[in-house]
Amino acid sequence: MAETVVEEARAGGGSGSTEETVAVEFRGERSGRAPLTWGQRAIWHAIRRTAPNDHYFNIGRVLPLADRGRPATVDGATAALTALVERHESLRTRLELSADGGEAAQALAATGTLPVTLARAQDPAEAERTAHALLDRLSATRFAYASEWPVRAALVAVGDRVTHAVLVLCHLAADGHGAEVLVRDLRLLVRRGSAGRPPATTPLDLAREQHGETGRRRGAAALAHWEAGYRAAPATMFPDPVAAPRAPRFWTGRIVSPALARAVAAVAAAHRVSGSTVLLTAAAVLVAAGQGHRTAAVMPIVGNRTSTAHRDLVTTLSQDGLFILDTGTGTTQDTPTFTDLLPTAYRAALRAYRAAVYDPAEWDALGERLRTETGAEVHPYCCFNDMRLVERPAPPGPAPTAAELAELRGRTAFGFPATQERVACRYCLHITEEGDALAVSLTADTAYLPPETIRAHLYGIEELIVAAASGRSVPLTGVRDLLEATAEEVRA
């Protein structure tokens, strides 16, 4: 049921659209309380470390609704939002903070009201602009985790037809995969009135399972992998500042490369590994070489969606894994190259993925125990997040030639699209797609990786993988020189 409670407020940004607030009432099947799932606990720890800039973790999506299918009315779209919130318990779940500062919990509400922004545009072009402006605006502020519903929603209409839906999600409620499930379900609810069978489990049920005996055994096994990896690697990948930090301190560099997309697919197919492994290995090799380490420790964000019951579950399942790669072993070549590491890296990646479900409180305790033992903080501060839901297979036909890849590199684009004051890491790499290109973003602490080094790492990833696809895999002994030469180009 939806009721308009505020009308005709002029939209911001100088557009001609107007806004209303629509109250969307929902009634779920149950209420309840449980500890946080391990994924929720992990992201809550990250949110607290990043506050007050934790809007960084908000997840936003725009869903076009005028492209195909039956037209969506405002009443139909608000009814679909009601059904969406009733279907997925995470959208009705808020953080419950302990008065004594103890561990937070999750509280599921059966009923409530979600405020939804309804913006009215004059034409489809203005509707498109308005939708993205709403996405930016709704994403720009941190959630009030204990009092606000973990989803912000907006609809854009031209006349009596809804053209776009906008969702901004609290990361406690969903990860990237969960956000895509919500977009899919909302589209089905708008078009068909049904999204099919409900998810096989819920965040509350998952939390109770993880905090039970079976969950604790699995978590202990995962943390044994972490302890072994920590002991095999340097305490951190970036031990010493190398420059005065910029203001703001954290810069995001971004490279968009059609050549990299083709090269990753070609190298993965040639060496029978995943494209994500190719990218992870390239990042790890560059970090190790740049810092003078033989062994790289990288924390890939692992989706933890292998269980059938978790495929359509909207919650935060993602947790950090620990990828350990000794760049001096695992090859039989006198002068090993980047591609010689790929078989070893693939096995190391699988171990990391299998050991990415654990209690973050126990993970914290492990880190503290090792700090006490070694006298130094043990944490890679080096993260890798392949945000693609699926990898595109290599296109049919022969692999790209060196000449074709060189021509594609002429379309590579680079920039620094964002800065921020605080991020709880020193090196955060994100992989997405943009059309026929791969988009690779590196958010880094400029005290450890100045802007020219950020740029060098991104172009270094492209060079390592394109060179491998071109039949001239870079020797590992030459990786540091590659980084330094690329950084020197910027200084010159």
Side-chain angles (χ1 to χ4, degrees), residues 309-378:
H310 296 164
R311 300 278 169 81
D312 294 331
L313 178 61
V314 175
T315 189
T316 290
L317 288 172
S318 301
Q319 289 188 253
D320 294 330
L322 182 63
F323 171 80
I324 300 294
L325 182 64
D326 186 339
T327 63
T329 62
T331 72
T332 59
Q333 306 299 318
D334 293 334
T335 307
T337 71
F338 165 68
T339 53
D340 292 325
L341 284 177
L342 289 174
T344 299
Y346 184 63
R347 294 189 293 272
L350 291 178
R351 289 192 292 271
Y353 302 154
R354 293 182 186 121
V357 180
Y358 50 86
D359 185 344
E362 296 296 327
W363 181 86
D364 286 341
L366 170 63
E368 189 57 37
R369 175 162 60 84
L370 292 175
R371 179 204 288 264
T372 301
E373 178 184 319
T374 64
E377 183 180 19
V378 178

Coordinates of all heavy atoms in Angstrom, one line a residue, residues 309-378:
A309 N 21.8 -22.7 -1.8 CA 20.9 -21.9 -0.9 C 21.3 -20.4 -0.8 O 20.5 -19.6 -0.4 CB 20.9 -22.5 0.5
H310 N 22.5 -20.1 -1.2 CA 23.0 -18.7 -1.1 C 22.9 -18.0 -2.4 O 23.2 -16.8 -2.4 CB 24.4 -18.7 -0.6 CG 24.6 -19.2 0.8 ND1 25.8 -19.6 1.4 CD2 23.6 -19.5 1.8 CE1 25.6 -20.1 2.6 NE2 24.3 -20.0 2.9
R311 N 22.6 -18.6 -3.5 CA 22.6 -18.0 -4.8 C 21.7 -16.7 -4.9 O 22.1 -15.7 -5.4 CB 22.2 -19.0 -5.9 CG 23.1 -20.2 -6.0 CD 24.4 -20.0 -6.8 NE 25.3 -21.1 -6.6 CZ 25.3 -22.2 -7.3 NH1 24.3 -22.4 -8.2 NH2 26.2 -23.2 -7.1
D312 N 20.6 -16.8 -4.3 CA 19.6 -15.7 -4.4 C 19.4 -15.0 -3.1 O 18.4 -14.3 -2.9 CB 18.2 -16.2 -4.9 CG 18.3 -16.7 -6.4 OD1 19.2 -16.2 -7.1 OD2 17.6 -17.6 -6.7
L313 N 20.3 -15.2 -2.1 CA 20.1 -14.6 -0.8 C 20.6 -13.2 -0.9 O 21.8 -13.0 -1.2 CB 20.9 -15.5 0.2 CG 20.9 -14.9 1.6 CD1 19.5 -14.9 2.2 CD2 21.8 -15.8 2.5
V314 N 19.8 -12.3 -0.5 CA 20.2 -10.9 -0.4 C 20.7 -10.6 1.0 O 19.9 -10.5 2.0 CB 19.0 -9.9 -0.7 CG1 19.4 -8.5 -0.6 CG2 18.6 -10.2 -2.2
T315 N 22.0 -10.5 1.1 CA 22.7 -10.2 2.4 C 24.1 -9.9 2.0 O 24.5 -10.0 0.8 CB 22.6 -11.3 3.4 OG1 23.1 -10.8 4.7 CG2 23.3 -12.5 3.0
T316 N 25.0 -9.6 3.0 CA 26.4 -9.5 2.7 C 27.1 -10.8 3.0 O 27.3 -11.2 4.2 CB 27.0 -8.4 3.5 OG1 26.5 -7.1 3.0 CG2 28.5 -8.3 3.4
L317 N 27.4 -11.6 2.0 CA 28.1 -12.8 2.2 C 29.6 -12.7 2.0 O 30.4 -13.5 2.4 CB 27.6 -13.9 1.2 CG 26.2 -14.5 1.6 CD1 25.7 -15.4 0.4 CD2 26.2 -15.3 2.9
S318 N 30.0 -11.6 1.2 CA 31.4 -11.4 0.9 C 32.2 -11.2 2.1 O 31.9 -10.5 3.0 CB 31.5 -10.2 0.0 OG 30.7 -10.3 -1.2
Q319 N 33.4 -11.9 2.0 CA 34.4 -11.7 3.1 C 35.8 -11.7 2.4 O 35.9 -12.1 1.2 CB 34.4 -12.8 4.1 CG 33.2 -12.7 5.1 CD 33.2 -13.7 6.2 OE1 32.5 -14.7 6.2 NE2 34.1 -13.4 7.2
D320 N 36.8 -11.2 3.1 CA 38.1 -11.2 2.6 C 38.7 -12.7 2.6 O 38.5 -13.4 3.5 CB 39.1 -10.4 3.5 CG 38.7 -8.9 3.4 OD1 38.2 -8.5 2.4 OD2 38.9 -8.2 4.4
G321 N 39.4 -13.0 1.5 CA 40.2 -14.2 1.5 C 41.7 -13.8 1.6 O 42.0 -12.6 1.6
L322 N 42.6 -14.7 1.7 CA 44.0 -14.4 1.8 C 44.7 -15.2 0.7 O 44.8 -16.4 0.8 CB 44.6 -14.8 3.2 CG 46.1 -14.4 3.3 CD1 46.3 -12.9 3.2 CD2 46.6 -15.0 4.7
F323 N 45.3 -14.5 -0.3 CA 46.0 -15.0 -1.4 C 47.5 -14.8 -1.2 O 47.9 -13.7 -1.0 CB 45.5 -14.3 -2.7 CG 46.3 -14.6 -3.9 CD1 46.0 -15.8 -4.7 CD2 47.2 -13.7 -4.4 CE1 46.7 -16.1 -5.8 CE2 47.9 -14.0 -5.6 CZ 47.7 -15.2 -6.3
I324 N 48.2 -15.9 -1.1 CA 49.6 -15.9 -0.9 C 50.4 -16.4 -2.1 O 50.1 -17.5 -2.5 CB 50.0 -16.7 0.4 CG1 49.3 -16.2 1.6 CG2 51.6 -16.7 0.6 CD1 49.7 -14.8 2.0
L325 N 51.2 -15.6 -2.7 CA 52.0 -16.0 -3.9 C 53.4 -15.7 -3.7 O 53.9 -14.6 -3.6 CB 51.4 -15.2 -5.1 CG 52.1 -15.6 -6.4 CD1 51.8 -17.0 -6.8 CD2 51.6 -14.6 -7.5
D326 N 54.2 -16.8 -3.7 CA 55.7 -16.7 -3.6 C 56.2 -16.6 -5.0 O 56.1 -17.6 -5.8 CB 56.3 -17.9 -2.9 CG 57.8 -17.8 -2.7 OD1 58.4 -17.1 -3.4 OD2 58.3 -18.6 -1.9
T327 N 56.6 -15.4 -5.4 CA 57.0 -15.2 -6.8 C 58.4 -15.9 -7.1 O 58.8 -15.8 -8.3 CB 57.1 -13.7 -7.1 OG1 58.1 -13.1 -6.3 CG2 55.8 -13.0 -6.8
G328 N 59.0 -16.5 -6.2 CA 60.3 -17.1 -6.4 C 60.2 -18.6 -6.5 O 61.2 -19.3 -6.7
T329 N 59.0 -19.2 -6.4 CA 58.9 -20.7 -6.5 C 57.8 -21.1 -7.4 O 57.0 -20.2 -7.9 CB 58.6 -21.3 -5.1 OG1 57.3 -20.7 -4.6 CG2 59.6 -20.9 -4.1
G330 N 57.7 -22.3 -7.7 CA 56.6 -22.9 -8.5 C 56.8 -22.8 -9.9 O 55.9 -23.1 -10.7
T331 N 58.0 -22.4 -10.4 CA 58.2 -22.4 -11.8 C 59.5 -23.2 -12.1 O 60.3 -23.4 -11.2 CB 58.5 -21.0 -12.3 OG1 59.8 -20.5 -11.9 CG2 57.4 -20.0 -11.9
T332 N 59.6 -23.7 -13.3 CA 60.7 -24.6 -13.7 C 61.7 -23.8 -14.7 O 62.6 -24.4 -15.2 CB 60.2 -25.9 -14.3 OG1 59.4 -25.5 -15.5 CG2 59.4 -26.7 -13.4
Q333 N 61.4 -22.5 -14.9 CA 62.2 -21.8 -15.9 C 63.4 -21.1 -15.2 O 63.3 -20.7 -14.0 CB 61.3 -20.7 -16.5 CG 60.0 -21.3 -17.1 CD 60.3 -22.3 -18.2 OE1 61.2 -22.1 -19.0 NE2 59.5 -23.4 -18.2
D334 N 64.5 -21.0 -15.9 CA 65.6 -20.3 -15.4 C 65.3 -18.8 -15.2 O 65.8 -18.2 -14.3 CB 66.8 -20.5 -16.4 CG 67.3 -21.9 -16.4 OD1 67.1 -22.6 -15.4 OD2 67.9 -22.3 -17.4
T335 N 64.6 -18.3 -16.1 CA 64.2 -16.9 -16.0 C 62.6 -16.8 -16.1 O 62.1 -16.6 -17.2 CB 64.8 -16.0 -17.2 OG1 66.2 -16.2 -17.2 CG2 64.5 -14.5 -17.0
P336 N 62.0 -17.1 -15.0 CA 60.5 -17.2 -15.0 C 59.9 -15.8 -15.4 O 60.4 -14.8 -15.1 CB 60.2 -17.6 -13.6 CG 61.3 -17.1 -12.7 CD 62.5 -17.2 -13.6
T337 N 58.8 -16.0 -16.1 CA 58.0 -14.8 -16.5 C 56.7 -14.8 -15.8 O 56.3 -15.7 -15.0 CB 57.7 -14.8 -18.0 OG1 56.8 -15.9 -18.3 CG2 59.0 -15.1 -18.8
F338 N 55.9 -13.7 -16.0 CA 54.6 -13.6 -15.4 C 53.7 -14.8 -15.6 O 53.1 -15.3 -14.7 CB 53.9 -12.3 -16.0 CG 52.5 -12.2 -15.7 CD1 52.0 -12.0 -14.4 CD2 51.5 -12.3 -16.8 CE1 50.6 -11.9 -14.2 CE2 50.2 -12.2 -16.5 CZ 49.7 -12.0 -15.2
T339 N 53.6 -15.3 -16.8 CA 52.7 -16.4 -17.1 C 53.2 -17.7 -16.4 O 52.3 -18.6 -16.2 CB 52.5 -16.7 -18.6 OG1 53.8 -16.8 -19.2 CG2 51.8 -15.5 -19.2
D340 N 54.4 -17.9 -16.1 CA 54.9 -19.1 -15.4 C 54.3 -19.2 -14.0 O 54.2 -20.3 -13.5 CB 56.4 -19.1 -15.3 CG 57.1 -19.2 -16.7 OD1 56.6 -19.9 -17.5 OD2 58.2 -18.6 -16.9
L341 N 53.9 -18.1 -13.5 CA 53.3 -18.1 -12.1 C 51.8 -18.5 -12.1 O 51.3 -18.8 -11.1 CB 53.4 -16.7 -11.5 CG 54.8 -16.3 -10.9 CD1 54.7 -14.9 -10.4 CD2 55.2 -17.3 -9.8
L342 N 51.2 -18.5 -13.3 CA 49.7 -18.7 -13.3 C 49.2 -20.0 -12.7 O 48.2 -20.0 -12.0 CB 49.2 -18.4 -14.7 CG 49.2 -17.0 -15.2 CD1 48.8 -16.9 -16.6 CD2 48.4 -16.1 -14.3
P343 N 49.8 -21.1 -13.0 CA 49.3 -22.4 -12.4 C 49.4 -22.4 -10.9 O 48.4 -22.7 -10.2 CB 50.2 -23.5 -13.0 CG 50.7 -22.9 -14.3 CD 50.9 -21.4 -14.0
T344 N 50.5 -21.9 -10.3 CA 50.6 -21.8 -8.9 C 49.6 -20.8 -8.3 O 49.0 -21.0 -7.3 CB 52.1 -21.3 -8.5 OG1 53.0 -22.3 -9.0 CG2 52.2 -21.2 -7.0
A345 N 49.5 -19.7 -9.0 CA 48.5 -18.6 -8.6 C 47.1 -19.1 -8.6 O 46.3 -18.8 -7.7 CB 48.7 -17.4 -9.4
Y346 N 46.7 -19.9 -9.6 CA 45.4 -20.5 -9.6 C 45.1 -21.3 -8.4 O 44.0 -21.2 -7.8 CB 45.2 -21.3 -10.9 CG 43.8 -21.8 -11.1 CD1 42.7 -20.9 -11.3 CD2 43.5 -23.1 -11.2 CE1 41.4 -21.4 -11.5 CE2 42.3 -23.6 -11.4 CZ 41.2 -22.7 -11.5 OH 39.9 -23.2 -11.7
R347 N 46.0 -22.2 -8.0 CA 45.8 -23.0 -6.9 C 45.8 -22.2 -5.6 O 45.0 -22.5 -4.7 CB 46.9 -24.1 -6.8 CG 46.9 -25.1 -7.9 CD 47.9 -26.3 -7.7 NE 49.3 -25.8 -7.7 CZ 50.0 -25.8 -8.8 NH1 49.5 -26.1 -10.0 NH2 51.3 -25.4 -8.8
A348 N 46.6 -21.2 -5.5 CA 46.6 -20.3 -4.3 C 45.3 -19.5 -4.2 O 44.8 -19.3 -3.1 CB 47.8 -19.3 -4.4
A349 N 44.7 -19.1 -5.4 CA 43.5 -18.4 -5.4 C 42.3 -19.3 -4.9 O 41.5 -18.9 -4.1 CB 43.1 -17.9 -6.8
L350 N 42.3 -20.6 -5.3 CA 41.3 -21.5 -4.8 C 41.4 -21.7 -3.3 O 40.4 -21.8 -2.6 CB 41.5 -22.9 -5.5 CG 41.1 -22.9 -7.0 CD1 41.4 -24.3 -7.6 CD2 39.7 -22.5 -7.3
R351 N 42.6 -21.8 -2.8 CA 42.8 -21.9 -1.3 C 42.2 -20.7 -0.6 O 41.6 -20.8 0.4 CB 44.2 -22.2 -1.0 CG 44.8 -23.5 -1.4 CD 46.1 -23.8 -0.7 NE 47.2 -22.9 -1.3 CZ 47.9 -23.2 -2.3 NH1 47.7 -24.4 -3.0 NH2 48.9 -22.4 -2.8
A352 N 42.5 -19.5 -1.2 CA 42.0 -18.3 -0.6 C 40.5 -18.3 -0.6 O 39.8 -17.9 0.4 CB 42.5 -17.1 -1.4
Y353 N 39.8 -18.7 -1.7 CA 38.4 -18.7 -1.8 C 37.7 -19.6 -0.8 O 36.7 -19.3 -0.2 CB 37.9 -19.1 -3.2 CG 38.5 -18.2 -4.3 CD1 38.6 -18.6 -5.6 CD2 38.8 -16.9 -4.0 CE1 39.1 -17.8 -6.6 CE2 39.3 -16.0 -5.0 CZ 39.5 -16.5 -6.3 OH 40.0 -15.7 -7.3
R354 N 38.4 -20.8 -0.6 CA 37.8 -21.8 0.3 C 37.9 -21.3 1.8 O 37.2 -21.9 2.7 CB 38.5 -23.1 0.2 CG 38.3 -23.8 -1.2 CD 39.0 -25.1 -1.3 NE 38.8 -25.7 -2.6 CZ 39.9 -26.0 -3.4 NH1 41.1 -25.9 -3.0 NH2 39.7 -26.5 -4.6
A355 N 38.8 -20.4 2.1 CA 39.1 -20.0 3.5 C 38.6 -18.6 3.7 O 39.2 -17.8 4.4 CB 40.6 -20.1 3.8
A356 N 37.5 -18.3 3.1 CA 36.9 -16.9 3.2 C 35.6 -16.8 3.9 O 34.8 -15.9 3.8 CB 36.8 -16.3 1.8
V357 N 35.3 -17.8 4.7 CA 34.1 -17.8 5.6 C 34.6 -18.1 7.0 O 35.0 -19.2 7.4 CB 33.1 -18.9 5.2 CG1 31.9 -18.9 6.1 CG2 32.7 -18.7 3.7
Y358 N 34.5 -17.1 7.9 CA 35.0 -17.2 9.2 C 34.5 -16.0 10.1 O 33.9 -15.0 9.5 CB 36.6 -17.1 9.2 CG 37.1 -15.9 8.4 CD1 37.2 -14.6 9.0 CD2 37.4 -16.0 7.1 CE1 37.6 -13.5 8.3 CE2 37.8 -14.9 6.3 CZ 37.9 -13.7 6.9 OH 38.2 -12.6 6.2
D359 N 34.6 -16.2 11.4 CA 34.1 -15.1 12.3 C 35.1 -14.0 12.3 O 36.3 -14.2 12.8 CB 33.9 -15.7 13.7 CG 33.3 -14.8 14.6 OD1 33.2 -13.5 14.4 OD2 32.8 -15.2 15.7
P360 N 34.7 -12.8 11.9 CA 35.7 -11.7 12.0 C 36.2 -11.4 13.4 O 37.3 -10.9 13.5 CB 34.9 -10.5 11.4 CG 33.9 -11.1 10.6 CD 33.5 -12.4 11.3
A361 N 35.5 -11.7 14.4 CA 36.0 -11.5 15.8 C 37.1 -12.4 16.0 O 38.1 -12.0 16.6 CB 34.9 -11.7 16.8
E362 N 37.1 -13.7 15.5 CA 38.2 -14.6 15.7 C 39.3 -14.2 14.8 O 40.5 -14.4 15.1 CB 37.7 -16.0 15.4 CG 36.6 -16.6 16.3 CD 37.2 -16.7 17.7 OE1 38.4 -17.0 17.9 OE2 36.4 -16.5 18.7
W363 N 39.0 -13.6 13.6 CA 40.1 -13.1 12.7 C 40.8 -12.0 13.4 O 42.1 -11.9 13.4 CB 39.4 -12.6 11.5 CG 40.3 -12.1 10.4 CD1 41.0 -12.8 9.5 CD2 40.6 -10.7 10.2 NE1 41.7 -11.9 8.6 CE2 41.5 -10.7 9.1 CE3 40.3 -9.5 10.8 CZ2 42.0 -9.5 8.6 CZ3 40.8 -8.3 10.3 CH2 41.6 -8.3 9.2
D364 N 40.1 -11.1 14.1 CA 40.7 -10.0 14.8 C 41.6 -10.5 15.9 O 42.7 -10.0 16.1 CB 39.7 -9.1 15.4 CG 39.0 -8.2 14.4 OD1 39.6 -8.0 13.3 OD2 37.9 -7.6 14.7
A365 N 41.1 -11.6 16.6 CA 41.9 -12.2 17.7 C 43.2 -12.8 17.2 O 44.3 -12.7 17.8 CB 41.1 -13.2 18.4
L366 N 43.2 -13.4 16.0 CA 44.4 -14.0 15.3 C 45.4 -12.8 15.1 O 46.6 -13.0 15.4 CB 44.0 -14.7 14.0 CG 45.2 -15.1 13.2 CD1 46.1 -16.1 13.9 CD2 44.7 -15.7 11.8
G367 N 44.9 -11.8 14.5 CA 45.8 -10.6 14.2 C 46.4 -10.1 15.4 O 47.6 -9.8 15.4
E368 N 45.7 -10.0 16.5 CA 46.2 -9.4 17.8 C 47.2 -10.4 18.4 O 48.3 -10.0 18.9 CB 45.1 -9.2 18.8 CG 45.5 -8.5 20.0 CD 46.1 -7.1 19.7 OE1 45.7 -6.4 18.8 OE2 47.1 -6.8 20.4
R369 N 47.0 -11.7 18.3 CA 47.9 -12.7 18.8 C 49.3 -12.6 18.0 O 50.3 -12.6 18.6 CB 47.3 -14.1 18.7 CG 48.3 -15.2 19.1 CD 47.5 -16.5 19.4 NE 46.8 -17.0 18.3 CZ 47.3 -17.8 17.3 NH1 48.6 -18.1 17.3 NH2 46.5 -18.2 16.3
L370 N 49.2 -12.5 16.7 CA 50.4 -12.4 15.9 C 51.1 -11.1 16.1 O 52.3 -11.0 16.1 CB 50.1 -12.6 14.4 CG 49.6 -14.0 14.0 CD1 49.2 -14.0 12.5 CD2 50.7 -15.0 14.3
R371 N 50.4 -10.0 16.4 CA 51.0 -8.7 16.7 C 51.8 -8.8 18.0 O 52.9 -8.3 18.1 CB 49.9 -7.6 16.8 CG 50.5 -6.3 17.2 CD 49.5 -5.4 17.9 NE 48.4 -4.9 17.0 CZ 48.4 -3.7 16.4 NH1 49.4 -2.9 16.6 NH2 47.5 -3.4 15.6
T372 N 51.2 -9.5 19.0 CA 51.9 -9.7 20.3 C 53.1 -10.5 20.1 O 54.2 -10.2 20.7 CB 50.9 -10.3 21.3 OG1 49.8 -9.5 21.5 CG2 51.6 -10.5 22.6
E373 N 53.0 -11.5 19.2 CA 54.1 -12.4 19.0 C 55.3 -11.8 18.3 O 56.5 -12.0 18.6 CB 53.6 -13.7 18.3 CG 54.7 -14.7 18.0 CD 54.1 -15.9 17.2 OE1 53.0 -16.3 17.5 OE2 54.8 -16.3 16.2
T374 N 54.9 -11.0 17.2 CA 56.0 -10.5 16.3 C 56.4 -9.1 16.7 O 57.4 -8.6 16.2 CB 55.5 -10.5 14.9 OG1 54.3 -9.7 14.7 CG2 55.1 -11.9 14.5
G375 N 55.6 -8.4 17.4 CA 55.8 -7.0 17.7 C 55.5 -6.0 16.6 O 55.9 -4.8 16.6
A376 N 54.7 -6.5 15.6 CA 54.4 -5.6 14.5 C 52.9 -6.0 14.0 O 52.5 -7.1 14.2 CB 55.3 -5.8 13.3
E377 N 52.2 -5.0 13.5 CA 50.9 -5.3 13.0 C 51.0 -6.2 11.8 O 51.8 -6.0 10.9 CB 50.2 -4.0 12.6 CG 48.8 -4.2 12.1 CD 48.0 -3.0 11.6 OE1 48.7 -2.0 11.4 OE2 46.8 -3.0 11.6
V378 N 50.1 -7.2 11.7 CA 50.1 -8.2 10.6 C 48.9 -8.0 9.8 O 47.8 -8.3 10.3 CB 50.3 -9.6 11.1 CG1 50.2 -10.6 10.0 CG2 51.5 -9.8 11.9

